[in-house]
Amino acid sequence: MTLQIKSLEEYNKEYTKSVENPEAFWAEQAETFTWKKKWDKVVNWDFREPNVNWFVGGKLNITENCLDRHLEERGDQAAIVWEPNDPNAPTKTYTYKELHAEVCKAANGLKSLGVVKGDRICFYMPMVPELAIGVLACARIGAIHSVVFAGFSAQALADRVNDATCKMVICSDYNNRGAKNIPVKKVVDDAMALGCPSIETVLVHKNTGGSVKWSEGLDKWWHDTIDHQSTECEAEEMDSEDMLFILYTSGSTGKPKGVVHTCGGYMVYTTFSFNNVFQYQAGDVYWCTADIGWITGHSYIVYGPLAAGATTVMFEGVPTYPDAGRFWQVCEKLKVNQFYTAPTAIRALMAKGDQFVEGYDLSSLKILGSVGEPINEEAWHWYDKKIGKGNCPIVDTWWQTETGGILITPLPNITDTKPCHASYPMPGVQPVLLDSDGNLVEGNDVEGLLAVKYPWPSMIRTTYGDHERCKNTYFSMFENMYFTGDGARRDKEGRYRIIGRVDDVINVSGHRMGTAEVENAINEHKNVVESAVVGYPHDIKGQGIYAYVIANQEVTDVDAFRKEIVAVVRKEIGPIAKPDMIQVVSGLPKTRSGKIMRRILRKVASSDVSNLGDTSTLLNPEVVQEIIDNALV
Ligand code: WT7
């Protein structure tokens, strides 16, 4: 197993070593894994291209590290504990032996359908064990998975399938989500109808057993394909830098981009970070409530915990079903030791009242985690007091889809914790703050743009099919730096506090969204001429979506118009992108060069209009007063 830091002194020592001699530091971590062939060089990198290679020349299969290597020592230990949506349905456990067998069967099944190394396979599935099994089956045979969160629309699914020219979609028939039964296969059918020419097979897992429309030739059942397969499947030899997966995420411009992660570095970093951030001990039960449709689920439900030989919980349901005590009921039932969730969930549960926590025995909890957005002070204290009973350090983990793993975080019981502070960099991570000209902002008690000046093993390698875009988005802003898109403060003691995005990306309930993407969706409405979307502070969601819309005719029924716009956004992207506020305006504040002055729109949406800054360069200053007068907040 990788190093597990145990004291502040050791953290300081290892951090220094990781900066002074990164190659030696990472070689030591990498040596703890099973390699088919050892690497020739630890890292080669050039951020200008960008070209980053870790464990160069090394050969491995990540599933041998997540499964095979545990069989002897902990084959009968639970690998995945699956908790269903229905609290009265039985919990299902897969031991490492069982998971190994299921993954091999699925891998053989995929092979029988013609899937080979390098093929892209899309997953559009709820949180059922077959999602984890399927993802690992791809990794077993060298197929590249692209998991699309099952809340996205048919259009969004089709866009992602086509961008990666996927050969197959793997889905469920229906999804249990709270009291709802959601037709998942129907969305895939609709995506196919929109046109997905690269798809040869839709592999359907029977989850709830509801009726589905069937396309002979295209559709195949998971059970017909996989159930009879052999429980042994040799793991494909992968190069360290072969692609492991693609995961789409939103940026400030254009369509979502496919972030590419590769095998060797991703394995080493997710395992190392899991092992240290959660201080996992043999026998612990670890639960991350994320969905595998997001990076948190990839790195800290599936790969990191399994490579570390942990017991990882996978939850099908939602925090508020059958009531707002569900998380705590599951913590008690499964005796969860490490619990990792998002601030939006904490705020939503906090708002429901303490009576949903009281009565549950949470004494198994040792460490609490937070991820995805800044955690506000009130939520932090509630989490600390009501859930952790003041005994569980909170790790406020900062990272991104692009970073693959946690980069800035407290280490529990090792470094101190402070509300709202992600605190200190992990060993091997070298963050810097920059001013807008790219000058280093040095010292403490300062603020700047957050960048990283040295590569770490699980960093983004490219954006699928468009390397230029990767370069422009992350590596062109500042020379020789990875730019995160976030602003941050460094406090007097050197702790980092993430302030939030400095670009046109918003974070709604921990879901990352490009404002341009939402605008493009809104503009699909036949009566919308133009729109501008900004984020605004929202008590539960962190940020809400505020849309300013210009219509091509007088709007007589504003409510109906709003409903139609919401429906268009649901269709183009999915319910997670639907605007909370829609204000119909006669114009948008624009500079003489035609750029929308979003600063003003953000201020209006945050009801902070006392100082709008310089509006003299506006082409149409008169529109500002109209927007303020009709603001919805
Ligand atoms: C953006 C990345 C990393 C997994 C989930 C989100 C924000 C993330 C924190 C935190 C403040 C945070 C940043 C980042 N963010 N964690 N602990 N404190 N902000 O991944 O969807 O790629 O979003 O989420 O703004 O850039 P993502």
Side-chain angles (χ1 to χ4, degrees):
M1 192 40 60
T2 64
L3 164 75
Q4 191 176 67
I5 292 166
K6 283 290 169 205
S7 66
L8 186 58
E9 192 187 0
E10 197 182 1
Y11 166 74
N12 288 327
K13 188 183 100 205
E14 294 299 333
Y15 188 80
T16 305
K17 179 170 158 189
S18 78
V19 171
E20 284 173 357
N21 196 347
E23 299 206 27
F25 178 84
W26 287 115
E28 256 172 50
Q29 304 315 318
E31 265 152 20
T32 65
F33 293 84
T34 302
W35 295 83
K36 288 177 187 282
K37 177 185 165 287
K38 210 181 148 175
W39 58 92
D40 306 311
K41 174 111 179 45
V42 174
V43 62
N44 275 333
W45 65 288
D46 182 345
F47 277 179
R48 287 165 302 185
E49 298 292 335
N51 182 24
V52 175
N53 297 291
W54 280 90
F55 311 112
V56 186
K59 306 285 178 193
L60 75 152
N61 188 292
I62 195 168
T63 70
E64 283 191 331
N65 287 278
C66 289
L67 302 169
D68 305 61
R69 72 163 168 159
H70 301 311
L71 294 181
E72 210 171 301
E73 205 183 313
R74 52 179 79 89
D76 295 319
Q77 177 205 303
I80 294 179
V81 176
W82 181 74
E83 182 62 32
N85 177 64
D86 174 359
N88 299 313
T91 305
K92 208 161 154 185
T93 296
Y94 292 80
T95 64
Y96 272 95
K97 266 188 203 145
E98 288 163 344
L99 186 61
H100 176 269
E102 292 304 317
V103 169
C104 287
K105 278 161 65 182
N108 287 324
L110 293 181
K111 275 193 195 168
S112 77
L113 294 174
V115 177
V116 296
K117 180 175 177 176
D119 283 344
R120 275 83 55 213
I121 306 296
C122 178
F123 286 82
Y124 187 78
M125 265 180 141
M127 286 287 284
V128 290
E130 287 72 14
L131 173 54
I133 291 165
V135 156
L136 290 165
C138 284
R140 188 81 175 172
I141 62 175
I144 300 160
H145 54 80
S146 168
V147 182
V148 175
F149 175 64
F152 280 114
S153 69
Q155 183 65 57
L157 173 61
D159 290 346
R160 286 158 178 74
V161 162
N162 292 333
D163 187 76
T165 53
C166 293
K167 193 174 195 174
M168 183 185 289
V169 179
I170 306 183
C171 68
S172 300
D173 52 0
Y174 289 79
N175 172 13
N176 293 311
R177 203 174 155 73
K180 294 186 209 147
N181 186 237
I182 298 164
V184 178
K185 165 79 162 56
K186 165 82 168 62
V187 181
V188 179
D189 293 343
D190 293 346
M192 295 306 114
L194 290 166
C196 293
S198 58
I199 294 293
E200 294 173 9
T201 309
V202 174
L203 188 63
V204 189
H205 169 246
K206 191 178 274 188
N207 185 30
T208 70
S211 72
V212 289
K213 195 184 105 213
W214 204 252
S215 295
E216 276 317 319
L218 180 67
D219 296 341
K220 301 255 168 12
W221 284 111
W222 171 286
H223 56 265
D224 288 345
T225 308
I226 289 168
D227 282 1
H228 64 280
Q229 298 286 347
S230 155
T231 55
E232 290 296 332
C233 174
E234 208 184 309
E236 185 79 31
E237 181 171 294
M238 305 296 285
D239 188 87
S240 286
E241 287 299 337
D242 278 339
M243 277 186 209
L244 175 62
F245 66 84
I246 305 168
L247 188 59
Y248 284 84
T249 194
S250 298
S252 41
T253 55
K255 292 185 304 176
K257 48 190 175 275
V259 170
V260 170
H261 285 290
T262 60
C263 297
Y266 179 81
M267 169 180 79
V268 171
Y269 195 82
T270 53
T271 312
F272 173 77
S273 52
F274 170 76
N275 197 22
N276 283 282
V277 175
F278 299 102
Q279 291 286 312
Y280 187 85
Q281 306 302 314
D284 282 351
V285 176
Y286 159 88
W287 181 18
C288 165
T289 70
D291 191 290
I292 294 176
W294 312 113
I295 191 70
T296 310
H298 283 61
S299 302
Y300 299 113
I301 295 178
V302 181
Y303 288 113
L306 293 177
T311 295
T312 175
V313 175
M314 197 175 158
F315 177 47
E316 186 188 33
V318 295
T320 50
Y321 176 84
D323 63 41
R326 189 68 206 283
F327 274 179
W328 323 125
Q329 181 251 330
V330 175
C331 282
E332 175 183 294
K333 177 176 171 194
L334 303 180
K335 300 194 169 48
V336 171
N337 302 110
Q338 292 91 355
F339 179 75
Y340 191 29
T341 197
T344 188
I346 299 168
R347 287 190 298 263
L349 297 179
M350 181 172 77
K352 299 274 181 187
D354 295 352
Q355 69 273 24
F356 291 102
V357 185
E358 287 153 10
Y360 290 112
D361 176 4
L362 299 179
S363 59
S364 59
L365 290 173
K366 297 194 282 191
I367 290 159
L368 300 175
S370 171
V371 59
E373 39 170 332
I375 175 165
N376 51 303
E377 194 134 0
E378 194 191 353
W380 194 97
H381 285 297
W382 186 83
Y383 200 27
D384 177 40
K385 283 206 184 66
K386 298 291 166 181
I387 308 305
K389 318 291 181 198
N391 289 323
C392 305
I394 297 176
V395 289
D396 178 357
T397 63
W398 174 85
W399 57 299
Q400 311 177 294
T401 305
E402 294 86 342
T403 69
I406 296 165
L407 295 197
I408 304 183
T409 178
L411 293 180
N413 300 314
I414 295 169
T415 61
D416 58 9
T417 61
K418 184 177 171 188
C420 314
H421 287 70
S423 299
Y424 304 104
M426 288 287 291
V429 175
Q430 301 187 36
V432 291
L433 295 179
L434 303 170
D435 68 18
S436 49
D437 297 324
N439 303 308
L440 275 179
V441 179
E442 286 173 300
N444 287 343
D445 203 12
V446 290
E447 193 171 314
L449 301 166
L450 182 63
V452 188
K453 70 173 181 189
Y454 193 87
W456 64 98
S458 64
M459 69 184 293
I460 181 174
R461 298 300 196 268
T462 188
T463 44
Y464 191 81
D466 192 351
H467 194 64
E468 267 311 288
R469 190 167 179 199
C470 174
K471 178 175 168 172
N472 292 334
T473 311
Y474 309 103
F475 298 94
S476 300
M477 183 91 155
F478 305 112
E479 211 182 317
N480 263 311
M481 298 277 176
Y482 165 81
F483 176 52
T484 65
D486 281 315
R489 278 197 66 76
R490 198 163 43 226
D491 76 1
K492 289 199 176 69
E493 287 85 30
R495 292 184 205 89
Y496 286 88
R497 173 184 189 150
I498 309 301
I499 298 166
R501 302 289 306 196
V502 295
D503 53 10
D504 290 319
V505 169
I506 53 178
N507 195 326
V508 183
S509 301
H511 300 320
R512 177 166 157 187
M513 215 104 48
T515 52
E517 206 184 329
V518 184
E519 288 162 9
N520 289 339
I522 293 174
N523 298 348
E524 289 293 310
H525 188 290
K526 62 180 192 308
N527 298 123
V528 171
V529 180
E530 197 181 2
S531 62
V533 165
V534 297
Y536 72 99
H538 187 287
D539 282 350
I540 305 288
K541 299 180 179 189
Q543 280 187 299
I545 301 179
Y546 196 120
Y548 299 89
V549 173
I550 306 175
N552 65 3
Q553 59 187 49
E554 204 198 330
V555 181
T556 45
D557 187 344
V558 180
D559 273 347
F561 187 48
R562 287 193 182 121
K563 282 201 182 107
E564 286 168 27
I565 289 173
V566 166
V568 173
V569 174
R570 288 180 80 105
K571 175 170 164 285
E572 295 293 318
I573 305 175
I576 57 175
K578 62 175 206 261
D580 300 277
M581 305 276 183
I582 299 173
Q583 181 177 353
V584 181
V585 295
S586 68
L588 292 164
K590 288 195 178 170
T591 62
R592 281 173 214 284
S593 57
K595 248 188 98 182
I596 297 172
M597 220 186 243
R598 284 166 192 283
R599 177 168 57 81
I600 294 176
L601 298 177
R602 272 189 220 112
K603 287 210 157 190
V604 174
S606 318
S607 44
D608 169 24
V609 292
S610 54
N611 178 12
L612 288 179
D614 183 11
T615 53
S616 64
T617 55
L618 284 180
L619 201 59
N620 50 349
E622 71 289 348
V623 84
V624 175
Q625 197 54 49
E626 175 213 303
I627 290 177
I628 294 173
D629 290 344
N630 299 323
L632 301 168
V633 290

